[in-house]
Amino acid sequence: MKYRIDVNILDDHTMVCEGLTDAINRSDVAHVSRTFNTIESCRQAFRERRPDVLLLDISIPNGDGAAFCQEVIESYPKVKVVAVTIHDEYSVIRRFTDLGIHGYVLKSSTVDTLLEAIVSVWQGRRYVSAEAETILQQGAAQAVSLTAVEQNILRLVCDGMTNPQIADQLNLSTETVNWYRKRLLTKFGVKNTVSLVRQALKEQLV
């Protein structure tokens, strides 16, 4: 079966674009109709026509990859976004999966893995490559290793308490509570309290 999924690529490295385009176009899975080297050129093109799948270099130097990823997801819900990146850090992978990105593939992955990701997201499934999934699982295990104080502060944060209220409850300074809160964000690989609470509830830590 030939899917002929319409793919666009956003990557500032011309050789990467050419290599991915050649590999995808030689498959029976999809074809690359357009490539972009800047976020702005991609943004402008999307106003005219959108692909089925966008392969996104999240560390593109001429803009904020995370912000553009969120922009595409919110503005064009039919477009599936797959990160194709060198970033194998837990915090980065977690950040983009929390944003709602449809797929995450490392550039060290095989072409078959990338094609599998394209088909999966096009069919409505989320796809995280095996390497990235392993990193997520290992990072999560480390993230939830909490001290007694961190556990108490996390519980009170999930109860909706402010830093001064938590400080009063635990007989700590507000500055100390603020430090612990930032540490919790780092451990869970999230950027804000809403994501922290969501993840703590998901992992049944409170």
Side-chain angles (χ1 to χ4, degrees):
M1 178 180 179
K2 294 186 178 181
Y3 291 109
R4 306 309 296 165
I5 304 164
D6 183 22
V7 176
N8 285 180
I9 301 172
L10 172 55
D11 194 302
D12 65 304
H13 295 96
T14 301
M15 290 182 63
V16 172
C17 286
E18 291 177 349
L20 291 178
T21 296
D22 181 61
I24 293 169
N25 286 348
R26 283 190 287 106
S27 75
D28 289 336
V29 170
H31 71 283
V32 177
S33 60
R34 296 177 300 183
T35 63
F36 308 100
N37 297 120
T38 67
I39 287 177
E40 187 54 36
S41 62
C42 184
R43 178 183 287 120
Q44 291 179 2
F46 271 30
R47 292 169 184 155
E48 301 291 330
R49 178 169 62 87
R50 272 79 62 191
D52 298 314
V53 177
L54 172 66
L55 304 183
L56 171 65
D57 177 7
I58 61 177
S59 57
I60 195 161
N62 46 50
D64 187 334
F68 186 64
C69 172
Q70 190 168 22
E71 176 185 331
V72 173
I73 290 171
E74 293 177 353
S75 301
Y76 309 111
K78 291 184 178 180
V79 178
K80 309 301 182 183
V81 185
V82 177
V84 183
T85 177
I86 62 171
H87 287 289
D88 58 0
E89 303 91 349
Y90 168 77
S91 60
V92 176
I93 301 173
R94 185 59 175 272
R95 180 184 182 189
F96 278 84
T97 54
D98 283 350
L99 281 177
I101 200 166
H102 304 95
Y104 198 101
V105 177
L106 299 179
K107 285 186 175 179
S108 58
S109 300
T110 65
V111 172
D112 285 344
T113 296
L114 179 60
L115 295 175
E116 183 180 0
I118 291 171
V119 173
S120 294
V121 300
W122 179 68
Q123 292 178 334
R125 302 189 301 273
R126 294 200 179 272
Y127 187 94
V128 178
S129 66
E131 302 97 321
E133 182 62 38
T134 297
I135 293 166
L136 277 177
Q137 292 176 354
Q138 291 174 344
Q142 296 171 0
V144 297
S145 177
L146 305 177
T147 66
V149 175
E150 289 170 341
Q151 290 173 345
N152 284 334
I153 290 177
L154 178 62
R155 174 177 54 81
L156 296 175
V157 167
C158 290
D159 286 342
M161 286 192 176
T162 64
N163 284 0
Q165 289 172 330
I166 294 172
D168 184 63
Q169 179 87 2
L170 300 180
N171 197 27
L172 298 171
S173 69
T174 302
E175 292 76 12
T176 298
V177 172
N178 185 53
W179 182 86
Y180 272 112
R181 187 188 285 256
K182 290 180 179 179
R183 181 175 172 82
L184 286 169
L185 294 178
T186 299
K187 280 195 170 187
F188 279 86
V190 296
K191 296 190 66 178
N192 54 55
T193 299
V194 172
S195 297
L196 173 64
V197 172
R198 183 187 302 121
Q199 193 59 34
L201 293 174
K202 180 181 177 181
E203 297 180 15
Q204 299 182 338
L205 296 175
V206 291

